[in-house]
Amino acid sequence: MEVTGGSPLRGRIRPPGDKSISHRALLLAARAEGTSVVRGLSGGDDVIRTRTAVRLLGADVDGERVTGGARRLHECEVPIDLGNSGTGMRLLAGFVAAWPWLTVLTGDEYLIRRPMDRVVEPLRRMGASVDGRDHGRLAPLAVRGGGLDGIDYELPVASAQVKSAVLLAGLAADGETVVRERVPTRAHTEEMLAACGADIETDGLVTRLRPSRLEPFELDVPADPSQAAFWVVAATIVPGSDVVVEDVYVGQARTGFLDVLRRMGADIEVDGSTGDIHVRAAELHGTSVGGAEVPGLIDEIAVLAVAAAVADGPSTFRDAGELVVKETNRITTITSELGALGGRVEPTSDGMVVVGGGRFRGGVARSRGDHRVGMAMAIAGLAADGTTRVEGWDAVATSYPGFQEDLKQLCE
């Protein structure tokens, strides 16, 4: 993909449906006893993989309608390929652990290198048999579930994916399942389980779930804040821009990137009733990002680094060691690819220091198979002198296949 810098972005845009909510909606609809209606699912490859998975497990998926339930679900005859989707694999591990079948979960060359022991360990404690490469640390994973017991589990790392896997398994466990968090993570699973009639309660840090029968539901999936972040940063750093990003989910632990950008001086207004985010170009200054806010914006650090590179003064990102185990090691990837466009980034053991005060120049950057890095480099290209080519653009189809079309719309 090629991007030419200098043109302001103007207009209104709605990013694709939230990826995290889309995964969970498909899994809960497959588990619910009856037909659910889910409108606005993400069209990215990650969610398509989960859609295919629930079909292979026996749910009927017909457009917006998903018909599931215990009597429909069954053992899958073939390995389930999750492509590049870490969310899909971790959530499905919890989903299938509830059933006395063998399920094999695999993925592409990037996914099979990502850590899975963080879900394997609690599922084993609940009574599931889970194996994989390196004693279950890496996929492919072979899961044989059923006969589970509820556990009281404190997350060793802040992870909505691990929390969700344990809760999905806990739906069929004997007794209460308790998940404890040190810092709150996105609450989609808890919110959606409650909407399905599950016996669940949470105070934001401790979630308690009893065995539950799920009722079918209707859901309009809001726009994905992680995808909205690319347009918010673009409108902020490209002079003359004025953009409204529509219908964005602005619930718990999903809008931390907006807080960071506001600290940096961004001109952002959020309509809490509609989820619309209005952004105008602004001069930025450096900031520090770390601590409890990091889990809520870990997926946005790639594009926040782009904003930091053109801000006045340095920005520090710390307590973000989770970046190492994303689709790529994002600490090294962001350092190298922003550097290729003139950004100055110094990697650290748990994050990076973005020097700031610079101006991007056109050039060649690579996604390295990471969809968020690819899109972040395209946003850098919009603020660069000249033309930027982003190699490995096919990785963006993982989450935002319509990115180029939306970019064209905003630049017309």
Side-chain angles (χ1 to χ4, degrees):
M1 177 186 177
E2 288 192 350
V3 178
T4 300
S7 297
L9 284 72
R10 296 181 178 275
R12 306 178 71 91
I13 201 75
R14 186 193 190 279
D18 185 90
K19 188 161 70 80
S20 295
I21 294 176
S22 294
H23 284 296
R24 290 160 172 81
L26 286 166
L27 292 171
L28 295 181
R31 183 66 188 265
E33 301 293 338
T35 299
S36 300
V37 179
V38 185
R39 294 174 286 265
L41 285 168
S42 167
D45 185 68
D46 277 11
V47 173
I48 290 172
R49 300 281 182 161
T50 296
R51 185 186 184 106
T52 300
V54 299
R55 278 179 167 158
L56 289 170
L57 290 165
D60 180 66
V61 185
D62 182 10
E64 298 174 342
R65 301 171 68 83
V66 183
T67 303
R71 287 177 293 180
R72 298 189 64 94
L73 300 179
H74 55 71
E75 187 170 78
C76 183
E77 297 177 349
V78 297
I80 297 176
D81 186 348
L82 280 309
N84 193 237
S85 179
T87 303
M89 179 168 286
R90 294 185 181 116
L91 267 59
L92 268 163
F95 181 90
V96 299
W99 308 99
W101 316 316
L102 175 68
T103 307
V104 178
L105 305 175
T106 189
D108 67 13
E109 61 181 306
Y110 303 104
L111 183 56
I112 62 173
R113 295 199 294 264
R114 297 179 67 184
M116 293 297 148
D117 50 336
R118 56 187 56 183
V119 293
V120 169
E121 193 272 334
L123 293 177
R124 284 174 173 167
R125 284 183 52 185
M126 297 177 81
S129 172
V130 189
D131 202 0
R133 293 187 304 119
D134 195 13
H135 306 288
R137 191 178 71 84
L138 301 172
L141 298 180
V143 184
R144 187 179 293 280
L148 303 183
D149 293 312
I151 58 173
D152 191 320
Y153 189 68
E154 181 172 337
L155 298 182
V157 295
S159 172
Q161 294 176 5
V162 178
K163 173 176 63 175
S164 299
V166 174
L167 293 174
L168 288 168
L171 285 169
D174 183 15
E176 184 177 66
T177 296
V178 182
V179 181
R180 302 178 187 272
E181 303 181 89
R182 298 168 186 168
V183 296
T185 62
R186 56 189 64 174
H188 303 315
T189 302
E190 302 95 299
E191 293 168 351
M192 296 170 71
L193 280 170
C196 295
D199 185 1
I200 188 171
E201 58 189 48
T202 183
D203 64 5
L205 288 175
V206 179
T207 300
R208 300 178 182 275
L209 173 70
R210 271 72 61 182
S212 301
R213 169 191 169 99
L214 300 187
E215 299 298 327
F217 58 93
E218 289 195 20
L219 176 67
D220 291 295
V221 180
D224 193 323
S226 293
Q227 313 297 8
F230 294 101
W231 304 125
V232 172
V233 170
T236 297
I237 67 174
V238 178
S241 295
D242 189 334
V243 173
V244 176
V245 190
E246 298 178 331
D247 189 31
V248 180
Y249 178 85
V250 290
Q252 176 179 311
R254 295 302 304 275
T255 57
F257 74 95
L258 294 176
D259 297 332
V260 171
L261 289 168
R262 287 190 180 108
R263 289 204 305 266
M264 298 175 74
D267 183 356
I268 297 171
E269 299 173 10
V270 178
D271 185 332
S273 63
T274 65
D276 289 356
I277 304 173
H278 189 182
V279 193
R280 302 176 186 86
E283 296 293 327
L284 301 179
H285 52 261
T287 190
S288 178
V289 180
E293 69 179 332
V294 170
L297 53 78
I298 193 74
D299 287 335
E300 289 79 61
I301 286 179
V303 75
L304 287 174
V306 173
V310 297
D312 181 20
S315 294
T316 302
F317 296 86
R318 55 182 174 79
D319 305 315
E322 189 71 7
L323 291 172
V324 173
V325 293
K326 291 294 185 178
E327 284 82 345
T328 60
N329 177 336
R330 284 191 188 151
I331 294 176
T332 59
T333 303
I334 293 168
T335 298
S336 66
E337 302 314 308
L338 276 184
L341 301 180
R344 294 178 293 165
V345 184
E346 299 171 358
T348 65
S349 61
D350 67 346
M352 64 194 80
V353 177
V354 183
V355 175
R359 184 174 179 85
F360 294 120
R361 59 175 182 269
V364 178
R366 297 167 290 176
S367 76
R368 296 181 180 265
D370 189 324
H371 56 127
R372 298 196 195 282
V373 171
M375 289 184 282
M377 294 310 109
I379 299 306
L382 292 173
D385 296 323
T387 298
T388 299
R389 185 171 80 252
V390 182
E391 296 183 342
W393 187 254
D394 56 340
V396 172
T398 292
S399 62
Y400 202 158
F403 183 95
Q404 284 181 265
E405 290 75 12
D406 286 353
L407 174 58
K408 181 179 178 181
Q409 176 183 329
L410 289 176
C411 289
E412 286 180 345

